[in-house]
Amino acid sequence: MHDNKKVGLALSGGGYRATAYHLGTFRKLKELGILDKVDVISTVSGGSIIGATYGLHSDNFEEFDRIIEQGVQKSVIWGVVTSIRFLIGALFLLGILGVGIWSIFCTPYPWISLICFAGFALLIWFFQFKILPISDFNEKMYDRFFYKGKKLSDLKSDVKLGINSTNLETGTLFTFSKEKMSDSTYAYMDPSVEFKQENFPISKAVAASSCVPFAFTPIEIAKKYFKNPERDYSRAYPRLVDGGVYDNQGGHKLTQRNSSYGCDIILISDAGRGMSFKHRYRNIITLLVRTSDLFMNRIKNFQMIQYLYTNHILGKREIAYQSLGWDLDRSVPEFVEILKKGQILDSVWKAHGIKQAEIDNKEWDKIEEKLKVSIDYNAIMAQALSPKELEIARSVGTNLTSLKDIQVKSLIGHASAITEMQVKLYCPMLLK
């Protein structure tokens, strides 16, 4: 809380890239004395990995920092593909295909291949998620690397954490927290569908939040987690996938004033780097994946416009937004451009010592210099990554394979510098 205003932190998705990137955000907020003022943290996907870890260790920053830095250097994917359960399922399916191929070339009964191939197709169509429940394997790896069997009830109470997933059944966010787990559709049903969150594994909540479509299996909510299973288990069928499908930056909950997660001051850490060009769409899978990426990117751009360019009309909140895809030296010129359009809150530009007369007279060079003095621009720019380091940070993929030291260092470095820049520009009152 700051001056009776709730402070929220949103952590975007992006696999291990996001997890490492957000660690730089946490370190900078801690250094600036802001982290202890944060009341609510809203997370999706890779942001949920680090958000949930902080929720367990908010009273011990050094331990939290150590767990994340070491955790992102361990491969979830390698743990999944080498697990006995995965190997059995994969070998079973491959065995059916192998028998089909063998029957064509090595036996006088090639018709057996038709049975095998048909059986393989039917198994994939009806039982893929049972034979290869990838998200269940992810959950086990998350628990081993980060959460050690902890439940939602083990989260600390000094900060409200919302771990967001997308509910395929309702088309809305399904959120996990220490106090409750559900989504707005279930809450407004008559009678409402309620869940028991106390013993729900944090690793399963994070697995739901990071369940990327086309790669992982949707997470189901077991009957034992329904408060009234006899009445509600047949009424509600939550099937949870990556929270980024609905809100890739984690900011949606924080901007809802009628929500218990709603905040007055919002900090958004976005590990996205923009959509790269793709030149090849060779099959329906690559086409579907690219289409999904496009939908998510469109939602992200729409939300960014809302947070940055229409906030002065609709939300009127202090919002500091920073992204891996942004260049540090463009922050001040961009602030001035937004100010020219009247899209910066009056309270923000006045906090930098800017006068109305300077805006009216379009003294933009003078205003830019005032901003640089106000935020100690040179000191921030001294933290800027080299072009090579920045390229390393932005080249990191969004999967869950282990990161190298230089990748982690580069991601942390850019997040740290641009967090300080954007917070000082757009939320200067937090530092007073």
Side-chain angles (χ1 to χ4, degrees), residues 36-152:
D36 290 340
K37 300 177 183 179
V38 172
D39 302 288
V40 183
I41 300 177
S42 176
T43 70
V44 294
S45 198
S48 294
I49 297 174
I50 186 170
T53 306
Y54 182 75
L56 288 171
H57 301 282
S58 58
D59 58 344
N60 188 341
F61 189 86
E62 289 72 23
E63 177 68 2
F64 153 73
D65 191 287
R66 180 192 66 78
I67 291 172
I68 292 299
E69 188 163 6
Q70 292 182 1
V72 296
Q73 297 183 61
K74 302 173 184 176
S75 176
V76 169
I77 300 302
W78 179 250
V80 168
V81 299
T82 57
S83 66
I84 298 298
R85 178 69 178 81
F86 177 87
L87 290 173
I88 290 173
L91 289 173
F92 171 68
L93 292 175
L94 290 174
I96 294 174
L97 283 178
V99 170
I101 296 171
W102 173 77
S103 67
I104 294 175
F105 298 103
C106 302
T107 76
Y109 310 107
W111 54 266
I112 294 177
S113 65
L114 296 177
I115 298 175
C116 291
F117 296 151
F120 178 85
L122 289 172
L123 286 171
I124 292 295
W125 185 262
F126 290 104
F127 302 108
Q128 177 188 344
F129 294 161
K130 298 295 183 183
I131 298 173
L132 292 175
I134 305 296
S135 292
D136 290 349
F137 306 145
N138 280 357
E139 176 189 341
K140 291 177 181 178
M141 294 301 105
Y142 287 152
D143 198 61
R144 181 186 302 175
F145 297 161
F146 300 101
Y147 310 120
K148 312 299 182 185
K150 298 296 184 181
K151 314 296 183 183
L152 290 176

Side-chain angles (χ1 to χ4, degrees), residues 10 12-13 21-22 248-249 268-272 300 321-325:
S12 79
Y21 183 80
H22 298 321
N248 192 249
Q249 294 141 318
I268 300 174
S269 181
D270 175 18
K300 170 184 171 178
Y321 187 111
Q322 53 90 344
S323 175
L324 171 61

